[in-house]
Amino acid sequence: AEGADADAVTVKVYSDFLCPFCQLFEQTNGPVLADLRSAGDVVTEYHLVSILDRAAAGSQYSTRAAAAAALVADRAPEQFVAFMDALFVNQPAEGVAGLDDTRIAELARE
């Protein structure tokens, strides 16, 4: 909320990193939200969910990706949106195990 206007609107975004519709939402609306955040007009509140773990071939990809994103948000909050974008750019298809922990960590470091 730093830098936001006193009357800024809070936009709550719920995302699962395995969800293709969440990916589409971010691709479509992410740049608009970024502009509105920069202008101080909105505060974006991200809620990470893992409802598609069942579609990750037993790997719990949604939960692992969300945990990594939560760590980035805690340790380097200014990099959270970039990491979230990287997870969506590298989004696996439903029905496969998805990125392993090593690859998720590499994306976080990048």
Side-chain angles (χ1 to χ4, degrees):
E2 224 174 273
D5 295 342
D7 61 347
V9 173
T10 299
V11 176
K12 296 181 181 186
V13 178
Y14 291 80
S15 291
D16 184 319
F17 291 113
L18 191 58
C19 171
F21 295 104
C22 298
Q23 178 191 48
L24 179 61
F25 175 86
E26 285 302 322
Q27 288 172 340
T28 305
N29 299 294
V32 174
L33 290 173
D35 289 345
L36 292 171
R37 274 194 308 274
S38 293
D41 296 333
V42 302
V43 173
T44 311
E45 194 175 286
Y46 289 97
H47 299 271
L48 307 176
V49 297
S50 52
I51 57 176
L52 289 176
D53 271 347
R54 61 181 164 64
S59 75
Q60 296 186 313
Y61 176 75
S62 295
T63 295
R64 292 183 301 107
L71 180 64
V72 169
D74 181 58
R75 301 283 172 89
E78 68 284 355
Q79 297 301 319
F80 172 78
V81 173
F83 179 58
M84 183 182 66
D85 290 344
L87 287 173
F88 280 125
V89 165
N90 292 278
Q91 184 182 67
E94 289 182 49
V96 300
L99 306 176
D100 63 19
D101 292 343
T102 301
R103 181 64 183 134
I104 292 171
E106 288 170 356
L107 290 174
R109 282 190 291 277
E110 290 172 9

